[in-house]
Amino acid sequence: MGDEWSGLADLLANLIAKYADDLDIEHLPESPRIKKTEKFCTLMRKSDGESIENKEAA
């Protein structure tokens, strides 16, 4: 499997090395924080204790 992906890995490594200076990867801005909404928190509380295995078994 490793040999199948090595060509793609080499291509990506070469592209990153070639364009790293142009992209200025070292000085990228911080990614924005995602605000957790009340709906999200409610869904997370509901899902606590439940797992996929429990739902499939039922």
Side-chain angles (χ1 to χ4, degrees):
M1 178 90 177
D3 291 335
E4 296 173 9
W5 291 97
S6 65
L8 178 61
D10 289 340
L11 173 67
L12 291 174
N14 289 336
L15 288 172
I16 291 169
K18 182 176 181 179
Y19 293 107
D21 290 335
D22 294 338
L23 294 173
D24 198 21
I25 294 173
E26 296 293 323
H27 298 100
L28 289 176
E30 277 292 314
S31 60
R33 293 279 183 196
I34 297 174
K35 193 185 315 180
K36 292 181 182 177
T37 63
E38 184 61 34
K39 183 177 180 180
F40 173 80
C41 292
T42 303
L43 289 172
M44 291 305 294
R45 281 193 298 270
K46 285 182 180 179
S47 69
D48 284 346
E50 295 181 15
S51 67
I52 293 172
E53 293 83 23
N54 290 341
K55 289 180 182 178
E56 288 179 358

